[in-house]
Amino acid sequence: MRKQYFSPGLLLIILLFISGFVRAGEFEQQVKNDLQIYAEQMAWPAYRDEINTWLPGKAKQLPACEQPVQFDLANQSRPPLGRVHYLISCASPKWQIRAQAKIKVWLDVWHARKDIAVDQVITGGDVYLKNIEISRLNRAFFTAGQKVENKRSIRRIRAGKIINGGQLKNIYLVKKGEEVLIRAQQGNFIATMKGAALENGMLGERIKVENTSSKKKIQARVTESGIVETIF
């Protein structure tokens, strides 16, 4: 069988191409990791993403890095959404390049089903979820994992529009540090006792409360202003 030999020049070109390809793959993985970290920080539910990366042509001509290549967002204060810039660097041999990534994300976001008036308490019938691409949104919004029901509107919201964070406020029926009435019911048996709220709570929310006499901390559901119900 005839052996094939590669000239040193051809071998160098192949190695440079492989090196550049690996860096491109590493870059895209880093972008995915940064997006995942941000999604966890924002408590996003399941999302779909589309990531496109661009490396400068000279990336394929850079010498192989003797240490792990460093990928850093050029602007750490910006979320990894839309068009973002990265600094890719190597400590030895020392080099640095700028690269770009275009990141799109689709999420279920709360919208107004009908016109919502100022000072209106939001109910389930007032809102609906719609899956949209969010990279160009410049205001905070509510995802499927966040509660909008029982909040109060502080601005008018038109039907079909995204509900953003600056349009709603919480209505706390129980406030941290205040005295509450703890109600326990099992079958026909009902008992009440005094307690203290350890967290703020809206209608239907689970919060921690402390039994005043026993000092025991329990989970309870907010049912009325100043009243909670134990959870069995």
Side-chain angles (χ1 to χ4, degrees), residues 199-230:
E199 299 174 286
N200 294 325
M202 297 193 301
L203 179 65
E205 281 191 327
R206 294 185 178 192
I207 64 169
K208 288 181 181 179
V209 296
E210 183 180 77
N211 186 311
T212 302
S213 58
S214 68
K215 302 302 179 183
K216 183 179 179 180
K217 296 178 177 64
I218 60 172
Q219 286 277 337
R221 183 181 292 107
V222 179
T223 58
E224 299 177 48
S225 178
I227 301 175
V228 298
E229 189 175 82
T230 55

Side-chain angles (χ1 to χ4, degrees), residues 48-89:
R48 179 170 65 88
D49 64 66
E50 179 184 294
I51 297 173
N52 291 298
T53 57
W54 290 270
L55 287 168
K58 64 180 180 180
K60 292 181 180 180
Q61 302 171 1
L62 293 170
C65 194
E66 297 172 5
Q67 299 172 354
V69 176
Q70 187 72 30
F71 300 89
D72 296 300
L73 281 162
N75 186 346
Q76 298 285 341
S77 62
R78 279 194 57 192
L81 291 170
R83 192 176 297 276
V84 294
H85 296 268
Y86 274 80
L87 296 176
I88 304 176
S89 59

Side-chain angles (χ1 to χ4, degrees), residues 126-215:
D126 296 325
V127 295
Y128 69 99
L129 285 169
K130 183 179 178 180
N131 192 266
I132 61 169
E133 203 283 302
I134 62 156
S135 64
R136 294 187 178 182
L137 299 183
N138 54 16
R139 293 184 180 180
F141 49 85
F142 294 95
T143 67
Q146 296 171 300
K147 189 174 181 179
V148 294
E149 289 183 51
N150 299 317
K151 292 180 183 287
R152 190 184 297 277
S153 62
I154 57 176
R155 293 183 178 86
R156 184 185 178 191
I157 308 171
R158 295 188 180 276
K161 296 295 184 180
I162 295 170
I163 300 174
N164 66 61
Q167 294 173 321
L168 303 181
K169 67 178 180 180
N170 294 326
I171 307 172
Y172 293 123
L173 299 184
V174 169
K175 294 183 179 180
K176 182 179 179 180
E178 290 185 348
E179 183 179 284
V180 293
L181 182 68
I182 303 172
R183 186 163 55 197
Q185 181 173 354
Q186 206 164 24
N188 295 325
F189 174 77
I190 300 176
T192 59
M193 62 214 80
K194 290 184 178 180
L198 302 179
E199 299 174 286
N200 294 325
M202 297 193 301
L203 179 65
E205 281 191 327
R206 294 185 178 192
I207 64 169
K208 288 181 181 179
V209 296
E210 183 180 77
N211 186 311
T212 302
S213 58
S214 68
K215 302 302 179 183

Side-chain angles (χ1 to χ4, degrees), residues 91-146:
S92 179
K94 193 172 181 64
W95 51 257
Q96 184 181 80
I97 58 173
R98 290 181 67 90
Q100 291 184 31
K102 188 174 182 181
I103 308 166
K104 291 184 176 182
V105 173
W106 285 262
L107 268 174
D108 286 338
V109 173
W110 287 108
H111 289 64
R113 187 182 300 278
K114 51 192 175 184
D115 286 350
I116 297 174
V118 177
D119 209 35
Q120 180 177 328
V121 177
I122 307 300
T123 67
D126 296 325
V127 295
Y128 69 99
L129 285 169
K130 183 179 178 180
N131 192 266
I132 61 169
E133 203 283 302
I134 62 156
S135 64
R136 294 187 178 182
L137 299 183
N138 54 16
R139 293 184 180 180
F141 49 85
F142 294 95
T143 67
Q146 296 171 300

